[in-house]
Amino acid sequence: MASVEVSGLTVRRGGKLVLAGIDLSVPAGSVTGLLGPSGSGKTTLLRVLVGAQRFRSGRVQVLGRPAGHRSLRAEIGYTTQAPSVYPDLTARENVRYHAQLHGRPVGRVLQDVGLGGEADRLVRAMSGGQVSRVSLACALVGQPRLLLLDEPTVGLDPVLRRDLWALFRALAAGGVTVLVSSHVMDEATRCDRLLLLREGRLIAEDSPDNLLASTGATGMDDAFLRLVEGVPA
């Protein structure tokens, strides 16, 4: 069963082809990596899934409904590369605000993202990585069925990155579908499944192990390069 089904998706922005006839699926309860270099179309695809980006043609189903459907708003958590939080509020106040919007308890989301000890600090006094984690906590407090994360580990140290990936895996084990965008290929091995984009085209959709085996590569950077060599730019 898939949480996301995309067929024939084509997006043009400002006359430029951004996504070119994309077909893909994201299995329910999985951690799926959306990987590719900057400018490959990852953010545009996430925006399509949340209903924030119009598309020229294709079919996009999210949790069994058309992307952007009103009923999906309470079931999708989304973090952008630019954190959507209020700098003049504390981390706890930001989370509490989002919890009230969803009619949910605050719970332990700040502890889950490693900010339990920083809950009462103003966001404007936090580092960039901490602000990103406040934004993630706000996305989690609604208890989404689908979590879309755009470069969530950028700027984090190795320990925090490890802990967040452990959180993503725990969420998936609990039935949440997690789609993580990243340009860092070494994060690919942490995923159940990978979607590799290059210049708006999907060049691979498979598990990390299968991609390594099919390309004969020793690492994901090498696998990506080998796939690119066989795909016209």
Side-chain angles (χ1 to χ4, degrees):
M1 183 176 180
S3 290
V4 174
E5 290 278 6
V6 174
S7 59
L9 174 63
T10 298
V11 176
R12 288 186 178 272
R13 295 178 65 184
K16 178 183 177 182
L17 183 64
V18 181
L19 293 174
I22 296 292
D23 298 311
L24 60 86
S25 66
V26 178
S30 68
V31 178
T32 297
L34 177 62
L35 284 91
S38 297
S40 58
K42 302 187 301 296
T43 295
T44 297
L45 177 57
L46 294 181
R47 285 172 51 81
V48 168
L49 297 182
V50 296
Q53 172 66 56
R54 293 182 178 180
F55 50 94
R56 178 177 291 263
S57 62
R59 180 174 179 269
V60 182
Q61 292 287 112
V62 178
L63 301 176
R65 284 150 283 174
H69 194 281
R70 178 186 294 269
S71 65
L72 290 171
R73 295 175 186 174
E75 299 182 57
I76 297 177
Y78 176 44
T79 66
T80 63
Q81 292 186 43
S84 302
V85 291
Y86 296 101
D88 56 336
L89 298 180
T90 66
R92 191 192 311 276
E93 288 167 341
N94 269 281
V95 171
R96 184 181 297 127
Y97 171 72
H98 284 268
Q100 290 173 345
L101 290 177
H102 289 282
R104 301 280 193 179
V106 171
R108 293 180 48 84
V109 290
L110 284 170
Q111 289 90 335
D112 290 341
V113 301
L115 289 175
E118 307 292 334
D120 295 314
R121 283 186 67 194
L122 290 175
V123 168
R124 66 178 174 225
M126 291 181 164
S127 69
Q130 288 174 324
V131 174
S132 295
R133 284 184 283 150
V134 175
S135 184
L136 175 57
C138 291
L140 290 173
V141 78
Q143 300 175 21
R145 292 176 57 198
L146 173 64
L147 186 60
L148 305 174
L149 306 174
D150 199 353
E151 303 278 4
T153 60
V154 169
L156 300 184
D157 65 54
V159 173
L160 287 173
R161 286 175 60 197
R162 178 202 63 194
D163 292 347
L164 282 187
W165 278 100
L167 172 61
F168 302 156
R169 296 228 58 88
L171 290 168
V176 179
T177 304
V178 183
L179 180 59
V180 184
S181 162
S182 179
H183 65 274
V184 181
M185 289 297 166
D186 65 3
E187 297 197 322
T189 56
R190 302 176 185 266
C191 302
D192 300 312
R193 194 166 183 81
L194 299 175
L195 306 168
L196 300 187
L197 284 177
R198 185 199 183 215
E199 296 184 357
R201 291 175 171 82
L202 187 70
I203 64 173
E205 179 181 4
D206 212 333
S207 69
D209 287 344
N210 286 347
L211 283 174
L212 290 174
S214 65
T215 58
T218 56
M220 288 310 306
D221 279 318
D222 187 29
F224 184 81
L225 290 172
R226 294 188 185 199
L227 287 165
V228 166
E229 289 173 356
V231 178

